[in-house]
Amino acid sequence: MKKFAVILAGCGVYDGAEIHEATLAMLAIKKAGADYQCFAPDMMQYHVINHLTGEVMPEKRNVLVEAARIARGKILPLSDFDASAFDVILFPGGFGAAKNLSTFAFEGEAGTVLSEVASAVKAMFAQQKPIAAICISPVFIAKILGEVKVTIGQDEGTIKTIEAVGATHVQTDHGEVLCDHEKRVFTTPCYMLDADITNIWDGANGLVKAIMEYFKN
């Protein structure tokens, strides 16, 4: 049975992991006959957003503790990740990917990637194992790997950031999956497009199916 490491960035689209993308990716993994283990960095998130008003709240939250909400408590600190124990690493989107796992939300092409995230991706790449990224997450995959083909859909600003760090962007639409077979990187846009939850399922499910198909070849 193939095992996915699902890396979460908190809980909630504006300051953590996008819940639909994370949950539907996990559902797709199980329906494909594979399994998953969730991870998140044990750190304070950049800030806390009121998801009703969009305003910053005067409180602090921990990324791992918040991500445990999505994982129903079955989650490990990212520092415990061991690439040899997994077949795939998968990153859902959400602003947490660009605020907690990296700084691209604030610094654009000059953004940096959390060292634990970079180490996990590099370890999987070195072992020639698939790397999957949804929504905004392909931005930091591009930063880590450099010359790689990824997609975030059609957002011109984000495309410029991806190309500025040396990667190639391919425009995609709802449910489409881009596979860079040479680098074993699989990406899909999901909520980077004007999408609804059915589009997210199409993207997440298509992504997992493409990865499972890769293992057959």
Side-chain angles (χ1 to χ4, degrees), residues 10-11 40-45 61-71 73 75:
C11 180
D42 186 1
M43 59 179 280
M44 301 309 294
Q45 62 188 52
R61 298 188 186 184
N62 179 281
V63 174
L64 177 61
V65 173
E66 291 300 291
R69 295 173 180 270
I70 298 174
I75 191 166

Side-chain angles (χ1 to χ4, degrees), residues 3 29 48 78 194:
K3 193 165 185 180
I29 290 166
V48 179
L78 185 53
D194 183 13

Side-chain angles (χ1 to χ4, degrees), residues 8-78:
L8 302 177
C11 180
V13 57
Y14 298 124
D15 56 16
E18 209 299 311
I19 296 171
H20 295 170
E21 292 171 355
T23 303
L24 292 176
M26 290 187 281
L27 176 60
I29 290 166
K30 294 295 285 188
K31 288 181 74 70
D35 202 0
Y36 63 84
Q37 171 65 54
C38 292
F39 292 87
D42 186 1
M43 59 179 280
M44 301 309 294
Q45 62 188 52
Y46 178 79
H47 58 194
V48 179
I49 298 293
N50 182 324
H51 278 57
L52 280 175
T53 66
E55 296 176 351
V56 177
M57 299 175 68
E59 60 180 84
K60 297 182 182 298
R61 298 188 186 184
N62 179 281
V63 174
L64 177 61
V65 173
E66 291 300 291
R69 295 173 180 270
I70 298 174
R72 294 176 60 87
K74 296 181 179 180
I75 191 166
L76 297 171
L78 185 53

